[in-house]
Amino acid sequence: MNWEWSDIYSHPLWMVSTTILAIIARAQRKALWNPRACPVKLNGKTAVVTGANTGIGKFIALDFARRGAQVILACRSEARGTAALQEIRESTGNQNIHLRLLDTSSLDSVRKFAARILEEEKELHILVNNAGASGLPSKITADGLEITFATNHIGPFLLTSLLLDLLKKSAPARIVNVSSMNHWRGEVNFDHFRGHNLNHVMDATYNHTKLHNVIWTNELARRLQGTGVTANSLHPGVVMTDVMRNYNFIIRFLFNLVGFFFFKTAEEGSFSPIYCAVSEEAEGISGKYFNSDCSLVLPAPPARDPALGVKEYEFCERLTAKP
């Protein structure tokens, strides 16, 4: 009997066996480090988590709340942020959870958020820059910045800069920047920040911003040496979150279909950020890049270039300077 590959792929047994294999693979997936096995407490500590109303950010905030921290949810949507706040309070019994509005694509919003934090809080021990977006339509913001660059990189850069003195005052403190393994596919072109010479095919712009995240984090860590404040970046894994919400239906459908079997859940995606933020193993480590298994790995070559790090930092300082 002569078989064609199409006959095999369309055979019911092939589809059933593939589905079973995928389910087994998902069931066998285990993290090397699990936050629930980490005994660290955060009583008396204050943490800010951006993008905390959904996905990875909400699970990070939930973990900090379980550990007894005061957690400030920095969210763009008041309605979704309020829902997350109520859920976290009810789930953990920790009432010291607060919502503050923040849109990282707007420098004005970042400045107002930071000003309120500095006015209300005497200490800040953990800052997790988690908020980000992919697949946004091409747009230039009121600040003259390409919107994905503003949301994913310049906004977090400015926020961190404005809160640095408070973090130093509160040392030991940790800054955690959520990047992506996609930074390996990114390129450094400072014209991109203004929307010039950008290819908006699929996640190209997102990849560029994630590379800038790692470059900036490493230079930030160098500048923070001796202060008691650490800064690290990480890849959370390929995670089933609403980061794909800006793509068309077909892409979202395929992503979710494959992701159901093989990608991490949002809770699993929160493990490496939590590891960097609270674990004893990460204490004192700075200027490093962690993968989704909470292991130290080398980032892409541009992120290992100290001269490029200085250029990156100074360029972002000029972009965020008040006119």
Side-chain angles (χ1 to χ4, degrees), residues 304-321:
R304 291 177 253 152
D305 183 345
L308 183 57
V310 173
K311 183 177 180 180
E312 164 86 28
Y313 204 98
E314 293 177 347
F315 180 82
C316 293
E317 282 185 319
R318 291 194 297 272
L319 278 184
T320 55

Side-chain angles (χ1 to χ4, degrees), residues 9-70:
Y9 291 145
S10 62
H11 194 280
L13 183 60
W14 170 268
M15 291 184 282
V16 170
S17 61
T18 301
T19 302
I20 292 174
L21 179 61
I23 293 173
I24 293 173
R26 182 176 179 83
Q28 293 299 312
R29 189 179 62 222
K30 295 180 180 179
L32 297 179
W33 185 86
N34 192 310
R36 293 182 181 272
C38 174
V40 172
K41 298 296 182 183
L42 295 177
N43 300 90
K45 305 293 185 181
T46 297
V48 169
V49 182
T50 70
N53 59 277
T54 187
I56 293 172
K58 186 167 74 172
F59 280 103
I60 295 171
L62 186 64
D63 178 272
F64 293 170
R66 286 188 180 123
R67 297 178 193 277
Q70 173 184 223

Side-chain angles (χ1 to χ4, degrees), residues 9 31 70 77 112 155 181 210 227 230 252 274 286 318:
Y9 291 145
Q70 173 184 223
S77 167
K112 288 179 179 177
M181 68 176 181
K210 295 292 105 178
T227 66
T230 61
R252 294 200 312 272
I274 295 169
S286 193
R318 291 194 297 272

Side-chain angles (χ1 to χ4, degrees), residues 40-48 64-65 67-72 94 96 121 123-126 170-173 277-278:
V40 172
K41 298 296 182 183
L42 295 177
N43 300 90
K45 305 293 185 181
T46 297
V48 169
F64 293 170
R67 297 178 193 277
Q70 173 184 223
V71 185
I72 298 170
N94 184 346
N96 204 8
E121 305 301 332
E123 293 183 310
L124 177 60
H125 305 92
I126 300 171
S170 311
V278 307

Side-chain angles (χ1 to χ4, degrees), residues 62-285:
L62 186 64
D63 178 272
F64 293 170
R66 286 188 180 123
R67 297 178 193 277
Q70 173 184 223
V71 185
I72 298 170
L73 314 181
C75 305
R76 188 166 58 93
S77 167
E78 184 170 9
R80 296 175 73 182
T82 299
L85 179 146
Q86 293 172 345
E87 180 183 340
I88 293 171
R89 283 180 175 177
E90 291 173 4
S91 176
T92 65
N94 184 346
Q95 300 302 304
N96 204 8
I97 314 299
H98 308 282
L99 172 65
R100 299 290 179 264
L101 297 184
L102 171 67
D103 179 357
T104 56
S105 73
S106 164
L107 299 188
D108 182 61
S109 176
V110 172
R111 290 190 179 102
K112 288 179 179 177
F113 173 88
R116 186 169 180 182
I117 296 297
L118 295 176
E119 179 183 350
E120 296 177 344
E121 305 301 332
K122 294 182 179 179
E123 293 183 310
L124 177 60
H125 305 92
I126 300 171
L127 171 61
V128 180
N129 287 307
N130 163 75
S134 180
L136 292 173
S138 179
K139 176 185 173 183
I140 301 300
T141 69
D143 303 298
L145 300 169
E146 197 283 325
I147 190 167
T148 303
F149 271 82
T151 302
N152 293 0
H153 187 64
I154 290 298
F157 175 91
L158 176 60
L159 175 62
T160 304
S161 298
L162 293 173
L163 297 179
L164 266 186
D165 286 342
L166 182 58
L167 286 158
K168 291 175 183 177
K169 175 185 171 184
S170 311
R174 302 189 193 187
I175 300 166
V176 179
N177 292 329
V178 178
S179 180
S180 168
M181 68 176 181
N182 281 23
H183 84 273
W184 278 86
R185 293 159 52 196
E187 298 175 359
V188 176
N189 183 334
F190 291 101
D191 288 339
H192 289 167
F193 284 79
R194 296 291 190 184
H196 305 309
N197 302 319
L198 266 176
N199 183 345
H200 290 280
V201 174
M202 288 297 291
D203 57 355
T205 304
Y206 172 84
N207 299 341
H208 302 328
T209 65
K210 295 292 105 178
L211 175 56
H212 284 283
N213 287 165
V214 185
I215 296 171
W216 156 53
T217 303
N218 292 349
E219 173 60 16
L220 173 63
R222 187 188 69 80
R223 294 176 181 232
L224 288 172
Q225 288 176 1
T227 66
V229 181
T230 61
N232 293 293
S233 57
L234 60 93
H235 168 53
V238 182
V239 182
M240 289 284 291
T241 68
D242 63 355
V243 71
M244 301 295 289
R245 63 186 177 275
N246 299 302
Y247 291 93
N248 66 49
F249 171 78
I250 294 176
I251 293 175
R252 294 200 312 272
F253 174 77
L254 292 174
F255 180 87
N256 291 329
L257 180 64
V258 175
F260 176 79
F261 297 109
F262 298 106
F263 297 167
K264 293 193 173 195
T265 64
E267 181 176 12
E268 291 168 335
S270 72
F271 288 3
S272 53
I274 295 169
Y275 177 86
C276 290
V278 307
S279 74
E280 295 175 337
E281 295 91 331
E283 184 177 354
I285 296 176

